[in-house]
Every structure is written in structure tokens, then in C-alpha cells.
């Protein structure tokens, strides 16, 4: 992974320094002295799992007397809002929800605090009960920078294909055990009955590097595409990227929901829960909500690994994680909440209050060994297999100079991914031709590679 100081993050850091904001919290720093706390503020994404955490935080308040205030943002707005807070030194939040992409860059810029000093302060009994060894293998490496853990995982996910077993049975169709994207296109076209309010497949199309890019990148990887070759020459002008982007639009036209450029994760989840689609390719974390009491299709959902084509094992890998802002004056209490929200006790609390299908998934081995979870979550084995099969270091068929699957682990991917996602959304909406979308993507990829000195 390359860490460039000439990045969007670094530009913001310059502003932080100019304003005299103290953001340093290096690994050798000991926890601050104990204070009297009254409220913790958390900036988080407005996903259903986070809404459950807000509801259940009342139990944390009962235990500690410390109130917890959640401030929700859309995924597209969350990072911008927190970075603005850091830039002006407002210290509006104690805890921030970020993703696995963000952790090394935020840690490098001293925006989040190392958690190691706080783990060192825990008793052996508490450390044993928390049990970091219970994390799935990808977790700690994804949240570590310079050998220090900087965040704790709330939930993790890969991408899987959901399909309606009842609709397939009624149409006398069979979902292959290992579907290709060509299989999915054929089935989506056959099951697309828009006049009856039924769509063949739902795919995210909304602009945003965490929205349409997550889907398109895995399609591109499957088709043999890549963003750059080993010389950091952009590859959007390749035949594979052209085929992938053309396919992405074609499957939506012939089998998908209308106006896909308006659909992100939440919009897609609601549409699938309402029973208006035969298939949906998206995050594995949605599985529990499709089987929940708010879903009209519970009990009629089948699951498959991410569709393939030229490349196998194309599912993405992601986790929403909790970190402590370096500027927080309540780090000890913030760490205490992080432990509470990512502990196995919290898993059992969610199971008790909401049901096992709603527990945070994708982070702990013990979740997938629990008989109660396995009984109520028919998707558990497949999701675990999908997460364990992800090859984060080798996302493409041909060699590339970056890691990451649905994103590139380079500092300026936020800027790059946002801009390319806009071109793709405009292409889906008919505002750009295929040639225009590819050419614009090619140009910005080459420009950023040149500006960063990668070439």
C-alpha cells in the first residue's frame, strides 16, 4: 500500500496545521487522566445496523451513566463532515465511523488515536473476555497502521447475489451454484416484468465511490478490467473496461430497476425487502434484514457468491469500524464504548432484543460458530466462505500496482472514485455516451497518477 503525503487528506491536514489544531496522538502517548464524562458524540453512517446500535446504547448509558449521542450522515456525506470538523478544530465528535479504506490514511495523518495504550490499560481478564483473537483473519490487518490497532470493527461484509426462490420456482428457472454475470443477465431479463411491478435485478447506480463504484469495480474485475497497469497507465481505454461498463448499463436496461442512478444501498435494500425484485447483488450485511420482520420476502431468499466471468472470487471486502478522534478529550470513555459496541456481549444483546439475524456480522469467528445464529441465518456459511475467499491483494487478473477490490488503496481515491462514479452515473442516465464516460475516466486516472508521481 502506498501512502502519499500529496493527497486530499494531506491538503486538509495542512489546513489543520495552519489553524493550530492539535491532532497528534502517536503510539507512545499514554491515555489521558480520568475525567468525569457526561456525553459521547458519534458520527456514523445511517445504515440499519447503526440505527440498532443507537437504540441499544441506552443499555450502555444505564451501565455507565454516560449518554451517547448519534449524528447520522449518508455515506457520501459522512467523511466530508468529519474532515470538516477536523479542519476547523471543532472537536464535534469523540467517535467516528469510517471504513477499512480510511484507517491507514487517517492514522498516518494523526486524525484518529491508537488504541494500543488503552488495551494496555485493560486487565488481563477484560482483555481475555474481549478476545481479539476471535476476530476474523482480515480484521486486525485492515485496522492496523505501524503495528498499532487504530479502530475496532462494528460489522464486516463482502458482496453476494440474493435471489427470490419463490419467483424462480414459479418461472421454472434454476439459479446456478456458481453464476456468471452472463447467467445473471439471462435470468434478470427473463424475470424482468416492470409492467407488473417486478424487476429482474437491483444494482446500485447512485454516484459515489461507496455507491455505484462498489458494484462496477467488482464487475470490471470479473471482466478482466483494471484501473491501471503496472506503469500506472490508465486502462479505461481497454477492451475489458469497455465491455464491463457497457454490460453494467445493458443489464440495468434489460433487467434492472428504472432510474438506477437514484439507488444506493439503502434504496436498494428497501426495494428488495418490498418484494419488487427477483435478484439483488450487494452487501452481505443485508442478508439479516432480508430475513427480518420488516421484509416481505423473508423465507424466500436464496444466496450465491458474487457472480464471476473471466475472474473467480470477485466479491468485495469492507468493514465499518469505530475509531476515536485524536482531538477528543474523552478518549478513555470513547474507548470504553468502542469495546462495548464490538464485544461479544453486544452481539448477544442484539440477538436478545432484535433477533439473531440482526447481529453484526463479518467480524468475529464465534458468531459463525454459534448454533443460534446458524439456525436462524441460512446465509451464514456462504457469507463466511465469501469473506474468507476474498483476495484483497490480488483484485484483478492482470497485475496492478494497487490493492483493494471495490476501491483502490491510494490516498486520492476519494477524489478519483467520486469523479469516475459521476461519469458512470451520467452514463447510466444517458447524459454521457460510453465513449465519453470512458475517455473522461481515462483522463482523470492519468492526471492523478502524474500529479502523485506514480508514473
Amino acid at each position: 500500500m502506498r501512502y502519499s503525503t500529496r493527497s486530499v487528506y494531506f491538503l486538509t491536514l495542512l489546513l489543520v496545521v495552519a489553524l493550530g489544531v492539535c491532532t497528534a496522538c502517536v503510539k507512545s502517548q499514554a491515555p489521558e487522566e480520568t475525567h468525569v464524562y457526561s456525553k459521547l458524540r458519534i458520527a456514523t453512517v445511517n445504515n440499519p445496523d447503526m440505527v440498532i446500535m443507537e437504540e441499544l446504547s441506552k443499555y450502555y448509558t444505564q451501565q455507565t451513566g454516560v449518554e451517547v449521542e448519534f449524528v447520522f450522515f449518508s455515506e457520501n456525506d459522512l467523511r466530508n463532515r468529519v474532515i470538516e470538523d477536523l479542519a476547523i478544530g471543532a472537536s464535534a465528535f469523540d467517535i467516528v465511523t469510517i471504513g477499512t479504506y480510511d484507517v491507514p490514511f487517517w492514522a498516518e495523518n494523526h486524525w484518529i488515536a491508537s488504541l494500543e495504550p488503552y488495551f494496555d490499560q485493560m486487565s488481563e481478564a477484560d482483555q481475555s473476555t474481549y478476545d481479539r483473537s476471535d476476530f476474523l483473519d482480515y480484521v486486525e490487518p485492515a485496522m492496523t497502521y505501524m503495528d498499532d490497532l487504530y479502530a475496532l470493527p462494528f460489522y464486516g461484509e463482502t458482496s453476494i447475489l440474493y435471489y427470490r426462490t419463490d419467483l424462480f420456482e414459479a418461472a421454472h428457472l434454476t439459479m446456478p451454484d456458481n453464476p456468471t454475470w452472463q447467467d445473471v443477465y439471462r435470468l434478470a431479463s427473463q424475470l424482468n416484468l416492470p409492467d407488473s411491478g417486478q424487476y429482474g435485478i437491483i444494482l446500485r447506480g447512485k454516484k459515489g465511490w461507496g455507491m455505484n463504484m462498489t458494484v462496477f469495480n467488482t464487475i470490471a474485475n470479473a471482466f478482466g478490467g483494471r484501473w491501471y497497469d503496472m506503469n500506472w497507465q490508465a486502462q479505461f481505454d481497454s477492451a475489458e473496461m469497455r465491455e464491463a461498463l457497457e454490460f453494467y448499463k445493458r443489464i440495468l436496461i434489460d433487467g434492472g430497476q428504472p432510474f438506477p442512478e437514484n439507488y444506493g444501498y439503502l434504496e436498494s435494500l428497501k426495494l428488495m425487502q418490498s418484494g419488487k425484485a427477483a435478484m439483488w447483488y450487494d452487501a452481505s450485511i443485508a442478508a439479516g434484514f432480508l430475513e427480518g420482520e420488516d421484509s416481505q420476502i423473508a423465507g424466500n431468499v436464496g444466496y450465491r457468491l458474487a457472480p464471476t466471468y473471466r475472474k473467480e472470487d470477485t466479491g468485495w471486502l469492507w468493514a465499518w469500524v469505530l475509531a476515536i478522534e485524536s482531538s477528543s478529550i474523552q478518549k478513555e470513555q470513547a474507548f470504553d464504548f468502542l469495546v462495548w459496541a464490538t464485544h461479544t456481549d453486544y452481539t448477544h444483546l442484539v440477538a436478545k432484543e432484535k433477533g439473531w439475524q440482526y447481529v453484526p456480522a463479518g467480524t468475529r469467528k464465534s458468531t459463525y460458530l454459534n448454533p443460534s445464529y446458524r439456525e436462524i441465518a441460512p446465509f451464514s456459511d456462504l457469507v463466511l466462505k465469501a469473506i474468507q475467499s476474498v483476495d484483497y491483494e490480488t483484485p484483478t487478473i492482470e497485475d496492478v500496482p494497487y490493492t483493494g477490490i471495490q476501491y483502490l488503496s491510494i490516498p486520492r481515491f476519494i477524489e478519483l472514485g467520486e469523479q469516475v462514479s459521476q461519469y458512470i452515473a451520467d452514463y447510466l442516465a444517458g447524459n454521457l455516451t460510453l465513449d465519453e464516460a470512458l475517455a473522461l475516466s481515462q483522463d482523470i486516472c492519468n492526471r492523478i497518477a502524474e500529479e502523485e508521481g506514480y508514473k
Side-chain angles (χ1 to χ4, degrees):
M1 184 179 295
R2 176 188 174 104
Y3 301 111
S4 170
T5 55
R6 296 173 58 202
S7 65
V8 172
Y9 281 148
F10 183 66
L11 292 175
T12 308
L13 182 60
L14 288 178
L15 178 57
V16 172
V17 174
L19 291 172
V21 179
C22 177
T23 59
C25 181
V26 297
K27 64 185 288 185
S28 61
Q29 180 180 352
E32 67 275 12
E33 295 180 1
T34 302
H35 299 281
V36 177
Y37 306 104
S38 59
K39 179 184 290 187
L40 292 171
R41 298 191 82 230
I42 300 177
T44 192
V45 66
N46 61 343
N47 287 351
D49 294 86
M50 309 308 187
V51 174
I52 290 175
M53 180 167 59
E54 179 192 34
E55 179 183 341
L56 299 184
S57 67
K58 63 186 179 184
Y59 292 106
Y60 179 79
T61 301
Q62 290 175 8
Q63 294 171 16
T64 65
V66 177
E67 295 182 10
V68 185
E69 179 183 354
F70 287 73
V71 183
F72 289 96
F73 300 96
S74 69
E75 183 173 341
N76 283 348
D77 293 335
L78 176 62
R79 291 175 186 85
N80 291 339
R81 177 62 184 84
V82 175
I83 290 175
E84 288 172 5
D85 176 56
L86 290 163
I88 64 175
S91 299
F93 307 108
D94 299 291
I95 297 170
V96 291
T97 305
I98 56 178
T100 46
Y101 164 80
D102 306 286
V103 172
F105 304 120
W106 287 50
E108 181 185 36
N109 285 337
H110 307 301
W111 293 354
I112 53 178
S114 168
L115 304 182
E116 298 298 351
Y118 303 95
F119 274 112
D120 290 344
Q121 294 292 315
M122 292 176 70
S123 68
E124 290 186 9
D126 286 343
Q127 289 194 41
S128 177
T129 302
Y130 186 73
D131 192 8
R132 285 165 62 168
S133 68
D134 187 40
F135 290 147
L136 294 173
D137 291 342
Y138 82 93
V139 171
E140 289 222 25
M143 295 165 209
T144 298
Y145 175 72
M146 298 294 286
D147 298 326
D148 272 20
L149 193 68
Y150 275 82
L152 294 179
F154 186 63
Y155 73 75
E157 64 183 35
T158 183
S159 53
I160 60 177
L161 178 67
Y162 303 100
Y163 69 98
R164 291 276 302 282
T165 55
D166 55 337
L167 295 182
F168 271 67
E169 183 178 353
H172 304 289
L173 295 172
T174 301
M175 173 64 75
D177 291 337
N178 296 290
T180 65
W181 276 111
Q182 286 71 20
D183 293 327
V184 174
Y185 174 84
R186 171 179 55 83
L187 293 167
S189 301
Q190 291 177 276
L191 291 165
N192 193 43
L193 305 170
D195 292 340
S196 302
Q198 176 182 304
Y199 308 116
I201 192 168
I202 305 168
L203 295 174
R204 301 187 201 183
K206 181 182 286 188
K207 75 177 183 69
W209 73 268
M211 295 294 177
N212 60 19
M213 293 311 305
T214 58
V215 171
F216 174 70
N217 271 350
T218 59
I219 293 176
N221 292 341
F223 276 64
R226 53 181 177 167
W227 285 59
Y228 293 99
D229 65 16
M230 290 300 291
N231 295 315
W232 288 99
Q233 174 64 36
Q235 296 295 298
F236 270 86
D237 60 356
S238 68
E240 292 83 3
M241 290 298 271
R242 171 178 288 273
E243 183 183 10
L245 187 54
E246 186 176 33
F247 174 85
Y248 182 32
K249 183 171 183 175
R250 186 169 72 251
I251 192 173
L252 282 165
I253 290 175
D254 295 344
Q257 81 276 17
F259 307 108
E261 64 275 12
N262 295 329
Y263 284 80
Y265 169 72
L266 288 177
E267 295 85 1
S268 301
L269 172 61
K270 291 177 182 177
L271 188 62
M272 189 67 181
Q273 284 179 315
S274 69
K276 295 182 179 179
M279 291 183 288
W280 180 32
Y281 172 64
D282 213 292
S284 59
I285 196 66
F289 294 95
L290 295 181
E291 298 288 0
E293 60 184 15
D294 295 330
S295 175
Q296 297 181 27
I297 62 173
N300 291 309
V301 184
Y303 311 89
R304 291 291 187 268
L305 297 176
T308 63
Y309 181 28
R310 297 187 180 99
K311 186 181 188 303
E312 302 292 329
D313 299 329
T314 59
W316 71 60
L317 185 63
W318 180 258
W320 282 113
V321 304
L322 302 174
I324 302 172
E325 271 202 16
S326 292
S327 58
S328 170
I329 63 171
Q330 305 187 104
K331 293 189 184 70
E332 285 184 338
Q333 194 65 47
F335 176 75
D336 187 70
F337 181 83
L338 261 61
V339 169
W340 178 85
T342 59
H343 201 286
T344 51
D345 287 348
Y346 178 82
T347 302
H348 287 269
L349 177 62
V350 175
K352 176 184 176 183
E353 296 290 323
K354 297 293 183 181
W356 274 102
Q357 68 268 34
Y358 293 111
V359 302
T363 60
R364 286 187 173 272
K365 301 169 189 175
S366 56
T367 300
Y368 294 92
L369 295 174
N370 189 295
S372 297
Y373 180 69
R374 292 174 60 83
E375 180 180 357
I376 204 167
F379 46 82
S380 61
D381 284 344
L382 182 135
V383 170
L384 181 61
K385 177 183 177 181
I387 289 175
Q388 292 176 330
S389 69
V390 169
D391 188 351
Y392 179 85
E393 300 292 329
T394 311
T396 55
I397 294 176
E398 297 188 74
D399 291 341
V400 290
Y402 56 84
T403 58
I405 298 171
Q406 77 275 28
Y407 58 82
L408 280 60
S409 287
I410 59 175
R412 288 182 69 179
F413 184 70
I414 289 181
E415 174 189 355
L416 176 59
E418 285 296 312
Q419 190 57 69
V420 173
S421 78
Q422 180 65 68
Y423 299 146
I424 289 177
D426 285 340
Y427 169 60
L428 295 179
N431 299 323
L432 288 176
T433 66
L434 177 63
D435 287 338
E436 289 170 337
L438 291 169
L440 288 168
S441 299
Q442 177 83 0
D443 288 346
I444 191 171
C445 283
N446 278 329
R447 176 171 62 80
I448 285 182
E450 290 167 2
E451 290 175 357
E452 292 297 297
Y454 294 153
K455 291 191 174 183

mmCIF file with all atom_site columns, all heavy atoms in Angstrom, residues 163-174:
data_model
loop_
_atom_site.group_PDB
_atom_site.id
_atom_site.type_symbol
_atom_site.label_atom_id
_atom_site.label_alt_id
_atom_site.label_comp_id
_atom_site.label_asym_id
_atom_site.label_entity_id
_atom_site.label_seq_id
_atom_site.pdbx_PDB_ins_code
_atom_site.Cartn_x
_atom_site.Cartn_y
_atom_site.Cartn_z
_atom_site.occupancy
_atom_site.B_iso_or_equiv
_atom_site.pdbx_formal_charge
_atom_site.auth_seq_id
_atom_site.auth_comp_id
_atom_site.auth_asym_id
_atom_site.auth_atom_id
_atom_site.pdbx_PDB_model_num
ATOM 1   N N   . TYR A 1 163 ? -31.377 -13.915 -4.411  1.00 0.00 ? 163 TYR A N   1
ATOM 2   C CA  . TYR A 1 163 ? -32.403 -14.186 -5.424  1.00 0.00 ? 163 TYR A CA  1
ATOM 3   C C   . TYR A 1 163 ? -33.647 -14.758 -4.751  1.00 0.00 ? 163 TYR A C   1
ATOM 4   O O   . TYR A 1 163 ? -33.579 -15.381 -3.702  1.00 0.00 ? 163 TYR A O   1
ATOM 5   C CB  . TYR A 1 163 ? -31.880 -15.132 -6.508  1.00 0.00 ? 163 TYR A CB  1
ATOM 6   C CG  . TYR A 1 163 ? -31.620 -16.554 -6.059  1.00 0.00 ? 163 TYR A CG  1
ATOM 7   C CD1 . TYR A 1 163 ? -32.557 -17.562 -6.281  1.00 0.00 ? 163 TYR A CD1 1
ATOM 8   C CD2 . TYR A 1 163 ? -30.426 -16.898 -5.424  1.00 0.00 ? 163 TYR A CD2 1
ATOM 9   C CE1 . TYR A 1 163 ? -32.313 -18.869 -5.877  1.00 0.00 ? 163 TYR A CE1 1
ATOM 10  C CE2 . TYR A 1 163 ? -30.169 -18.202 -5.016  1.00 0.00 ? 163 TYR A CE2 1
ATOM 11  C CZ  . TYR A 1 163 ? -31.124 -19.181 -5.245  1.00 0.00 ? 163 TYR A CZ  1
ATOM 12  O OH  . TYR A 1 163 ? -30.879 -20.472 -4.835  1.00 0.00 ? 163 TYR A OH  1
ATOM 13  N N   . ARG A 1 164 ? -34.791 -14.528 -5.372  1.00 0.00 ? 164 ARG A N   1
ATOM 14  C CA  . ARG A 1 164 ? -36.080 -14.954 -4.846  1.00 0.00 ? 164 ARG A CA  1
ATOM 15  C C   . ARG A 1 164 ? -36.359 -16.389 -5.256  1.00 0.00 ? 164 ARG A C   1
ATOM 16  O O   . ARG A 1 164 ? -36.647 -16.669 -6.427  1.00 0.00 ? 164 ARG A O   1
ATOM 17  C CB  . ARG A 1 164 ? -37.170 -14.023 -5.364  1.00 0.00 ? 164 ARG A CB  1
ATOM 18  C CG  . ARG A 1 164 ? -37.121 -12.594 -4.798  1.00 0.00 ? 164 ARG A CG  1
ATOM 19  C CD  . ARG A 1 164 ? -37.825 -12.537 -3.472  1.00 0.00 ? 164 ARG A CD  1
ATOM 20  N NE  . ARG A 1 164 ? -39.212 -12.973 -3.611  1.00 0.00 ? 164 ARG A NE  1
ATOM 21  C CZ  . ARG A 1 164 ? -40.186 -12.204 -4.106  1.00 0.00 ? 164 ARG A CZ  1
ATOM 22  N NH1 . ARG A 1 164 ? -39.944 -10.974 -4.490  1.00 0.00 ? 164 ARG A NH1 1
ATOM 23  N NH2 . ARG A 1 164 ? -41.426 -12.674 -4.196  1.00 0.00 ? 164 ARG A NH2 1
ATOM 24  N N   . THR A 1 165 ? -36.290 -17.284 -4.298  1.00 0.00 ? 165 THR A N   1
ATOM 25  C CA  . THR A 1 165 ? -36.514 -18.692 -4.613  1.00 0.00 ? 165 THR A CA  1
ATOM 26  C C   . THR A 1 165 ? -37.938 -18.953 -5.101  1.00 0.00 ? 165 THR A C   1
ATOM 27  O O   . THR A 1 165 ? -38.154 -19.803 -5.975  1.00 0.00 ? 165 THR A O   1
ATOM 28  C CB  . THR A 1 165 ? -36.222 -19.556 -3.385  1.00 0.00 ? 165 THR A CB  1
ATOM 29  O OG1 . THR A 1 165 ? -37.017 -19.087 -2.273  1.00 0.00 ? 165 THR A OG1 1
ATOM 30  C CG2 . THR A 1 165 ? -34.748 -19.474 -3.006  1.00 0.00 ? 165 THR A CG2 1
ATOM 31  N N   . ASP A 1 166 ? -38.915 -18.201 -4.562  1.00 0.00 ? 166 ASP A N   1
ATOM 32  C CA  . ASP A 1 166 ? -40.304 -18.417 -4.976  1.00 0.00 ? 166 ASP A CA  1
ATOM 33  C C   . ASP A 1 166 ? -40.539 -17.973 -6.412  1.00 0.00 ? 166 ASP A C   1
ATOM 34  O O   . ASP A 1 166 ? -41.235 -18.651 -7.183  1.00 0.00 ? 166 ASP A O   1
ATOM 35  C CB  . ASP A 1 166 ? -41.271 -17.709 -4.023  1.00 0.00 ? 166 ASP A CB  1
ATOM 36  C CG  . ASP A 1 166 ? -40.966 -16.230 -3.869  1.00 0.00 ? 166 ASP A CG  1
ATOM 37  O OD1 . ASP A 1 166 ? -39.817 -15.810 -4.108  1.00 0.00 ? 166 ASP A OD1 1
ATOM 38  O OD2 . ASP A 1 166 ? -41.877 -15.461 -3.488  1.00 0.00 ? 166 ASP A OD2 1
ATOM 39  N N   . LEU A 1 167 ? -39.937 -16.850 -6.814  1.00 0.00 ? 167 LEU A N   1
ATOM 40  C CA  . LEU A 1 167 ? -40.106 -16.366 -8.185  1.00 0.00 ? 167 LEU A CA  1
ATOM 41  C C   . LEU A 1 167 ? -39.393 -17.281 -9.170  1.00 0.00 ? 167 LEU A C   1
ATOM 42  O O   . LEU A 1 167 ? -39.894 -17.528 -10.279 1.00 0.00 ? 167 LEU A O   1
ATOM 43  C CB  . LEU A 1 167 ? -39.579 -14.941 -8.311  1.00 0.00 ? 167 LEU A CB  1
ATOM 44  C CG  . LEU A 1 167 ? -40.316 -13.859 -7.513  1.00 0.00 ? 167 LEU A CG  1
ATOM 45  C CD1 . LEU A 1 167 ? -39.709 -12.489 -7.787  1.00 0.00 ? 167 LEU A CD1 1
ATOM 46  C CD2 . LEU A 1 167 ? -41.805 -13.848 -7.850  1.00 0.00 ? 167 LEU A CD2 1
ATOM 47  N N   . PHE A 1 168 ? -38.218 -17.775 -8.789  1.00 0.00 ? 168 PHE A N   1
ATOM 48  C CA  . PHE A 1 168 ? -37.508 -18.701 -9.663  1.00 0.00 ? 168 PHE A CA  1
ATOM 49  C C   . PHE A 1 168 ? -38.313 -19.991 -9.850  1.00 0.00 ? 168 PHE A C   1
ATOM 50  O O   . PHE A 1 168 ? -38.417 -20.521 -10.969 1.00 0.00 ? 168 PHE A O   1
ATOM 51  C CB  . PHE A 1 168 ? -36.122 -19.019 -9.083  1.00 0.00 ? 168 PHE A CB  1
ATOM 52  C CG  . PHE A 1 168 ? -35.052 -18.075 -9.532  1.00 0.00 ? 168 PHE A CG  1
ATOM 53  C CD1 . PHE A 1 168 ? -35.071 -16.741 -9.135  1.00 0.00 ? 168 PHE A CD1 1
ATOM 54  C CD2 . PHE A 1 168 ? -34.026 -18.496 -10.346 1.00 0.00 ? 168 PHE A CD2 1
ATOM 55  C CE1 . PHE A 1 168 ? -34.085 -15.859 -9.541  1.00 0.00 ? 168 PHE A CE1 1
ATOM 56  C CE2 . PHE A 1 168 ? -33.035 -17.632 -10.771 1.00 0.00 ? 168 PHE A CE2 1
ATOM 57  C CZ  . PHE A 1 168 ? -33.062 -16.298 -10.372 1.00 0.00 ? 168 PHE A CZ  1
ATOM 58  N N   . GLU A 1 169 ? -38.893 -20.482 -8.760  1.00 0.00 ? 169 GLU A N   1
ATOM 59  C CA  . GLU A 1 169 ? -39.677 -21.712 -8.852  1.00 0.00 ? 169 GLU A CA  1
ATOM 60  C C   . GLU A 1 169 ? -40.912 -21.513 -9.726  1.00 0.00 ? 169 GLU A C   1
ATOM 61  O O   . GLU A 1 169 ? -41.242 -22.365 -10.565 1.00 0.00 ? 169 GLU A O   1
ATOM 62  C CB  . GLU A 1 169 ? -40.096 -22.164 -7.452  1.00 0.00 ? 169 GLU A CB  1
ATOM 63  C CG  . GLU A 1 169 ? -40.862 -23.468 -7.431  1.00 0.00 ? 169 GLU A CG  1
ATOM 64  C CD  . GLU A 1 169 ? -41.222 -23.907 -6.025  1.00 0.00 ? 169 GLU A CD  1
ATOM 65  O OE1 . GLU A 1 169 ? -40.755 -23.266 -5.058  1.00 0.00 ? 169 GLU A OE1 1
ATOM 66  O OE2 . GLU A 1 169 ? -41.974 -24.898 -5.885  1.00 0.00 ? 169 GLU A OE2 1
ATOM 67  N N   . ALA A 1 170 ? -41.586 -20.368 -9.558  1.00 0.00 ? 170 ALA A N   1
ATOM 68  C CA  . ALA A 1 170 ? -42.787 -20.098 -10.344 1.00 0.00 ? 170 ALA A CA  1
ATOM 69  C C   . ALA A 1 170 ? -42.476 -19.969 -11.831 1.00 0.00 ? 170 ALA A C   1
ATOM 70  O O   . ALA A 1 170 ? -43.296 -20.337 -12.679 1.00 0.00 ? 170 ALA A O   1
ATOM 71  C CB  . ALA A 1 170 ? -43.466 -18.817 -9.834  1.00 0.00 ? 170 ALA A CB  1
ATOM 72  N N   . ALA A 1 171 ? -41.278 -19.461 -12.148 1.00 0.00 ? 171 ALA A N   1
ATOM 73  C CA  . ALA A 1 171 ? -40.878 -19.283 -13.543 1.00 0.00 ? 171 ALA A CA  1
ATOM 74  C C   . ALA A 1 171 ? -40.123 -20.493 -14.088 1.00 0.00 ? 171 ALA A C   1
ATOM 75  O O   . ALA A 1 171 ? -39.673 -20.471 -15.244 1.00 0.00 ? 171 ALA A O   1
ATOM 76  C CB  . ALA A 1 171 ? -40.013 -18.035 -13.675 1.00 0.00 ? 171 ALA A CB  1
ATOM 77  N N   . HIS A 1 172 ? -39.990 -21.541 -13.262 1.00 0.00 ? 172 HIS A N   1
ATOM 78  C CA  . HIS A 1 172 ? -39.278 -22.770 -13.662 1.00 0.00 ? 172 HIS A CA  1
ATOM 79  C C   . HIS A 1 172 ? -37.842 -22.458 -14.091 1.00 0.00 ? 172 HIS A C   1
ATOM 80  O O   . HIS A 1 172 ? -37.338 -22.990 -15.092 1.00 0.00 ? 172 HIS A O   1
ATOM 81  C CB  . HIS A 1 172 ? -40.027 -23.480 -14.789 1.00 0.00 ? 172 HIS A CB  1
ATOM 82  C CG  . HIS A 1 172 ? -41.456 -23.802 -14.452 1.00 0.00 ? 172 HIS A CG  1
ATOM 83  N ND1 . HIS A 1 172 ? -41.817 -24.768 -13.536 1.00 0.00 ? 172 HIS A ND1 1
ATOM 84  C CD2 . HIS A 1 172 ? -42.624 -23.241 -14.898 1.00 0.00 ? 172 HIS A CD2 1
ATOM 85  C CE1 . HIS A 1 172 ? -43.132 -24.823 -13.444 1.00 0.00 ? 172 HIS A CE1 1
ATOM 86  N NE2 . HIS A 1 172 ? -43.648 -23.911 -14.245 1.00 0.00 ? 172 HIS A NE2 1
ATOM 87  N N   . LEU A 1 173 ? -37.195 -21.610 -13.294 1.00 0.00 ? 173 LEU A N   1
ATOM 88  C CA  . LEU A 1 173 ? -35.808 -21.236 -13.552 1.00 0.00 ? 173 LEU A CA  1
ATOM 89  C C   . LEU A 1 173 ? -34.931 -21.745 -12.418 1.00 0.00 ? 173 LEU A C   1
ATOM 90  O O   . LEU A 1 173 ? -35.394 -21.890 -11.281 1.00 0.00 ? 173 LEU A O   1
ATOM 91  C CB  . LEU A 1 173 ? -35.670 -19.715 -13.674 1.00 0.00 ? 173 LEU A CB  1
ATOM 92  C CG  . LEU A 1 173 ? -36.379 -19.063 -14.862 1.00 0.00 ? 173 LEU A CG  1
ATOM 93  C CD1 . LEU A 1 173 ? -36.322 -17.538 -14.743 1.00 0.00 ? 173 LEU A CD1 1
ATOM 94  C CD2 . LEU A 1 173 ? -35.765 -19.519 -16.175 1.00 0.00 ? 173 LEU A CD2 1
ATOM 95  N N   . THR A 1 174 ? -33.691 -22.000 -12.720 1.00 0.00 ? 174 THR A N   1
ATOM 96  C CA  . THR A 1 174 ? -32.744 -22.505 -11.727 1.00 0.00 ? 174 THR A CA  1
ATOM 97  C C   . THR A 1 174 ? -31.552 -21.564 -11.634 1.00 0.00 ? 174 THR A C   1
ATOM 98  O O   . THR A 1 174 ? -30.965 -21.200 -12.656 1.00 0.00 ? 174 THR A O   1
ATOM 99  C CB  . THR A 1 174 ? -32.243 -23.916 -12.091 1.00 0.00 ? 174 THR A CB  1
ATOM 100 O OG1 . THR A 1 174 ? -33.368 -24.798 -12.173 1.00 0.00 ? 174 THR A OG1 1
ATOM 101 C CG2 . THR A 1 174 ? -31.264 -24.425 -11.042 1.00 0.00 ? 174 THR A CG2 1
#
